[in-house]
């Protein structure tokens, strides 16, 4: 039986959460509806609307528009944090003139994220310092901005996670979880001496994601050397077969960005030495 003292909010008219001022009630309603941006901006927006002689509808539209922008920003920031990037890097910060053999047009096309819809992979291969990780993070950031599920992980951390999941008998759940990530970025394959157990688990991971989700891999070793990475030419070939089937491979042979600022000094020093030798 319904309690006679229970208030029927639907039929009782406006609900006053507080018996205070209009300002207090507005802010209480905003809090109840999770409209934090509206609460923060409605007064200043009202002054601006009055000066610009905006209609009530335009005033409300601008308030709600800012609420959506702020909410999306928070969502993107949360996804960036969850992705686990080791630092922030954008395409605008990448100096393509320093690595002219990289197809800038293709990289910028990849930044539209169409490759995610076709489950296409991106393989960035080259010596240390040529910008592989920078480009992978830049593409990953673009994906988070579009609210895609992204995970950045070093090859070493991935190895540890695979071993831990396998030893705890949760590897099936782990692989299933990783297969749902729309863009998996595995950084720096090539520095570890992987065991047969890890090589087999890595193969299972790539197979699970094959033609379902996109993977970006950076490596300091060219494809013909991957048999050394996995200590098994057969497994390495099987992994590469799946990665390369739908992929954009980039072989970067340029100079190291870490040496970029030193190059002008070295050149200047060499020129000075040559001049002294001529004297």
């Amino acid at each position: 039986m319904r309690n006679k003292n229970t208030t029927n909010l639907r039929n009782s008219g406006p609900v006053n959460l507080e018996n205070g001022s209009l300002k207090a009630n507005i802010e209480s309603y905003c809090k109840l509806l999770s409209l934090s941006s509206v609460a923060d901006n409605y007064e200043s927006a009202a002054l601006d609307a009055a000066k610009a002689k905006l209609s009530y509808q335009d005033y409300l539209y601008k308030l709600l528009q800012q609420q959506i922008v702020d909410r999306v920003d928070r969502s993107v920031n949360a996804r960036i944090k969850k992705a686990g990037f080791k630092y922030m890097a954008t395409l605008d910060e990448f100096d393509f003139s320093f690595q002219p053999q990289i197809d800038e047009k293709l990289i910028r096309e990849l930044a539209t994220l169409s490759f995610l819809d076709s489950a296409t992979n991106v393989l960035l291969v080259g010596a240390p310092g040529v910008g592989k990780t920078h480009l992978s993070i830049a593409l990953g950031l673009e994906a988070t901005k579009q609210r895609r599920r992204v995970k950045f992980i070093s090859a070493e951390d991935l190895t540890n996670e695979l071993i831990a999941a396998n030893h705890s008998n949760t590897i099936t759940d782990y692989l299933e979880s990783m297969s749902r990530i729309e863009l998996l970025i595995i950084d720096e394959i090539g520095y570890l001496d992987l065991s047969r157990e890890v090589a087999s688990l890595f193969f299972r991971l790539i197979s699970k994601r094959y033609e379902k989700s996109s993977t970006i891999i950076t490596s300091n070793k060219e494809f013909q050397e991957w048999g050394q990475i996995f200590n098994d030419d057969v497994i390495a070939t099987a992994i590469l077969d799946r990665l390369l089937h739908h992929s954009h491979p980039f072989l970067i042979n340029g100079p190291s960005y870490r040496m970029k600022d030193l190059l002008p000094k070295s050149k200047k020093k060499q020129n000075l030495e040559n001049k002294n030798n001529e004297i």
Side-chain angles (χ1 to χ4, degrees):
M1 183 175 180
R2 180 179 293 181
N3 190 331
K4 293 182 180 180
N5 295 324
T6 299
T7 302
N8 187 340
L9 298 180
R10 183 181 297 275
N11 300 317
S12 62
V15 179
N16 289 320
L17 300 180
E18 296 182 10
N19 294 321
S21 64
L22 176 63
K23 174 181 171 65
N25 285 334
I26 289 175
E27 292 176 355
S28 294
Y29 289 146
C30 286
K31 184 176 181 180
L32 177 66
L33 297 172
S34 299
L35 299 175
S36 58
S37 180
V38 173
D40 292 338
N41 297 301
Y42 79 94
E43 289 181 302
S44 60
L47 293 175
D48 293 339
K51 292 178 182 177
K53 297 182 179 180
L54 296 180
S55 66
Y56 295 130
Q57 291 92 335
D58 286 337
Y59 165 67
L60 177 61
Y61 171 77
K62 287 184 176 297
L63 270 181
L64 295 179
Q65 184 182 54
Q66 187 60 49
Q67 177 69 52
I68 292 296
V69 169
D70 290 348
R71 185 164 295 176
V72 169
D73 286 345
R74 286 195 297 272
S75 174
V76 169
N77 288 334
R79 288 176 183 273
I80 290 174
K81 184 177 181 180
K82 188 174 182 179
F85 301 116
K86 65 180 181 181
Y87 58 81
M88 295 293 101
T90 67
L91 286 184
D92 289 338
E93 297 169 334
F94 191 86
D95 186 358
F96 285 95
S97 66
F98 193 69
Q99 303 290 14
Q101 83 274 25
I102 295 179
D103 189 340
E104 179 180 356
K105 183 179 179 181
L106 178 54
I107 291 291
R108 295 197 179 280
E109 181 181 332
L110 292 174
T112 66
L113 306 180
S114 58
F115 75 101
L116 296 184
D117 298 326
S118 58
T120 298
N121 302 315
V122 178
L123 306 177
L124 300 159
V125 178
V130 296
K132 305 184 302 294
T133 300
H134 185 127
L135 289 174
S136 70
I137 291 176
L139 292 174
L141 278 175
E142 291 300 320
T144 58
K145 290 177 185 178
Q146 297 301 318
R147 307 177 82 175
R148 302 292 193 113
R149 294 187 299 276
V150 179
K151 181 177 180 66
F152 178 97
I153 188 168
S154 68
E156 181 177 8
D157 288 343
L158 176 61
T159 295
N160 293 334
E161 289 187 7
L162 285 169
I163 293 174
N166 195 39
H167 290 180
S168 62
N169 295 319
T170 59
I171 188 64
T172 300
D173 291 338
Y174 178 81
L175 295 177
E176 181 63 33
S177 174
M178 293 290 272
S179 72
R180 291 194 295 269
I181 295 171
E182 293 174 89
L183 177 58
L184 175 63
I185 303 173
I186 306 173
D187 191 41
E188 294 297 7
I189 286 181
Y191 289 101
L192 302 176
D193 185 17
L194 302 181
S195 66
R196 182 173 293 275
E197 175 192 9
V198 174
S200 177
L201 294 172
F202 191 90
F203 170 75
R204 289 178 62 184
L205 171 63
I206 298 303
S207 296
K208 188 75 174 177
R209 295 179 56 79
Y210 177 57
E211 295 192 322
K212 296 178 182 178
S213 306
S214 296
T215 302
I216 295 179
I217 291 183
T218 73
S219 177
N220 65 311
K221 289 188 176 180
E222 295 186 11
F223 301 135
Q224 63 267 27
E225 300 177 279
W226 279 35
Q228 301 172 21
I229 298 174
F230 296 100
N231 285 301
D232 190 310
D233 289 336
V234 175
I235 289 182
T237 300
I239 290 171
L240 280 170
D241 180 64
R242 286 157 177 77
L243 287 173
L244 291 170
H245 185 205
H246 306 291
S247 71
H248 293 291
F250 293 85
L251 304 179
I252 310 172
N253 298 312
S256 169
Y257 271 99
R258 299 184 185 97
M259 301 297 291
K260 182 179 179 182
D261 294 334
L262 298 179
L263 290 177
K265 297 178 182 178
S266 299
K267 186 175 181 180
K268 183 177 181 181
K269 182 179 179 181
Q270 184 63 47
N271 291 338
L272 181 61
E273 289 177 353
N274 293 337
K275 185 176 181 180
N276 290 335
N277 290 336
E278 291 175 359
I279 298 173

